[in-house]
Amino acid sequence: MNHIVIIGFMGSGKTRVGKRLAKDLGLPFIDVDRLIVKKMNMSVKEVFERFGEAFYRALETMAVKELSTDSERKVISVSAGLPLQEQNQKYLQSMGTIIYLKGSAATLIKRLEGSNNPTLEGTENKEEKIKKLLKQRDPVYEKFADIKVVTGVKPFDELIAEIEEKLKA
Ligand SMILES: Nc1ncnc2c1ncn2[C@@H]1O[C@H](COP(=O)(O)OP(=O)(O)O)[C@@H](O)[C@H]1O
Ligand SMILES: O=C(O)C1=C[C@@H](OP(=O)(O)O)[C@@H](O)[C@H](O)C1
Ligand SMILES: [Mg+2]
């Protein structure tokens, strides 16, 4: 497929960037988290609480499998944990151009201050947890990236322009 796929840590801007790219490119936008929220008619947090993380991960796999064979080109923001799951990786790789929105620990910590993300909830030291998870996840995101851009260093519009240039190259 030739989708444009956005990956990255929680708070890296996948949803915001994906929405804007889709608008600029005149493509439909899909956000995997939002797709699940709609399907389940409850928040991500509620799905985790009522059915557990494994169930949420299974929903992610169903979504990515379906999208990997969807022939209508789209901008797709996948949830942060999705690329980490081995069962998703073959689908992810067949989807199209993968953009990694890379953020420093400092940028992500700042953006996730008020977040009620279930992956970070209940942790005593949120900063340490973010740093630890980022260390585990960054090499995986790097591995799958066709295009890498750093978020948090330039204004949003300039970041979008950089991505659009790289997509043309
Ligand atoms: N390039 C950026 N510069 C500043 N703030 C940003 C940028 N991209 C996203 N944000 C903000 O960071 C937060 C997380 O963005 P979001 O798109 O929800 O991330 P994700 O979907 O990767 O978890 C939001 O408040 C969003 O407005
Ligand atoms: O990192 C994770 O494990 C998760 C990230 C979230 O997505 P965002 O990247 O949109 O925050 C959401 O899918 C869920 O809370 C699990
Ligand atoms: Mg999001």
Side-chain angles (χ1 to χ4, degrees):
M1 290 305 127
N2 62 346
H3 299 308
I4 293 168
V5 182
I6 306 176
I7 63 172
F9 203 79
M10 295 164 257
S12 61
K14 300 178 297 297
T15 301
R16 186 174 172 195
V17 168
K19 206 186 262 180
R20 168 66 183 275
L21 276 184
K23 186 168 166 264
D24 287 1
L25 301 170
L27 296 172
F29 173 58
I30 299 278
D31 186 273
V32 171
D33 280 325
R34 290 188 182 184
L35 196 74
I36 293 173
V37 165
K38 238 181 172 172
K39 211 176 241 175
M40 295 299 293
N41 198 25
M42 60 180 85
S43 68
V44 172
K45 190 169 179 266
E46 264 182 287
V47 179
F48 267 66
E49 281 169 3
R50 291 180 57 179
F51 302 106
E53 179 173 351
F55 182 80
Y56 186 81
R57 299 297 174 205
L59 293 175
E60 285 182 325
T61 300
M62 275 168 61
V64 78
K65 186 178 174 190
E66 215 166 283
L67 288 165
S68 72
T69 58
D70 184 335
S71 58
E72 186 193 26
R73 188 170 195 234
K74 292 176 172 61
V75 175
I76 301 167
S77 296
V78 306
S79 33
L82 189 149
L84 282 299
Q85 307 288 317
E86 210 189 324
Q87 70 272 23
N88 299 335
Q89 294 176 350
K90 62 175 185 290
Y91 302 120
L92 194 62
Q93 272 177 314
S94 70
M95 284 174 91
T97 306
I98 302 181
I99 301 169
Y100 172 24
L101 278 181
K102 187 175 172 114
S104 67
T107 296
L108 298 169
I109 286 166
K110 207 162 108 209
R111 287 196 198 156
L112 291 167
E113 251 165 24
S115 152
N116 68 345
N117 194 301
T119 306
L120 296 176
E121 233 186 18
T123 31
E124 262 180 43
N125 192 333
K126 205 163 156 187
E127 287 195 21
E128 279 314 309
K129 176 90 188 246
I130 291 171
K131 283 185 190 159
K132 192 174 151 217
L133 276 176
L134 187 60
K135 229 182 217 160
Q136 288 168 358
R137 292 177 170 194
D138 173 70
V140 181
Y141 299 143
E142 288 271 359
K143 183 177 147 204
F144 288 106
D146 299 305
I147 292 173
K148 183 172 77 178
V149 289
V150 178
T151 181
V153 293
K154 55 168 84 162
F156 183 73
D157 282 341
E158 287 177 28
L159 179 71
I160 295 294
E162 181 187 344
I163 296 172
E164 290 175 354
E165 271 309 306
K166 288 185 168 167
L167 280 169
K168 276 190 231 154

